[in-house]
Amino acid sequence: MNWLPLVVSLVSGGVGGNIAGAVMQKFNLGPVGNTIAGLVGGGVGGQLLNMITSGGAAAAAAAPASGMDLSSILSSVGGGGIGGAIVMAVIGLIKAQMSKA
């Protein structure tokens, strides 16, 4: 297994979660909460997008070093950042709704 796409997805997810928290102050979970939610969303989102864009297992078998090319890295950054922002926003929305009750 190539770890580079996962690490890139996790880092970009953490960054995406913190950026989303700064933009959406209403759903902000604090720096630690934003980072943790971003890491979860980045890991899941980055891996899903990486599987979709690489064509799944067939592409991985055909090109074992596919984790090092630029398109794979950019895919991991995009999927991780967006996934991290989405998960942070969803958790922030749930937290905001629970605090109203």
Side-chain angles (χ1 to χ4, degrees):
M1 178 178 182
N2 193 353
W3 291 94
L4 181 64
L6 179 61
V7 171
V8 171
S9 294
L10 291 173
V11 170
S12 61
V15 171
N18 281 301
I19 290 173
V23 171
M24 299 181 288
Q25 287 293 319
K26 182 178 177 182
F27 304 130
N28 193 353
L29 303 171
V32 174
N34 291 341
T35 302
I36 292 172
L39 287 172
V40 171
V44 172
Q47 292 304 307
L48 286 175
L49 188 62
N50 194 15
M51 286 189 315
I52 291 170
T53 59
S54 69
S66 64
M68 296 299 288
D69 63 349
L70 184 61
S71 65
S72 177
I73 293 172
L74 291 176
S75 167
S76 295
V77 168
I82 292 169
I86 289 172
V87 169
M88 192 290 308
V90 168
I91 292 173
L93 178 65
I94 291 169
K95 178 184 170 200
Q97 293 297 321
M98 289 179 65
S99 67
K100 287 183 181 179

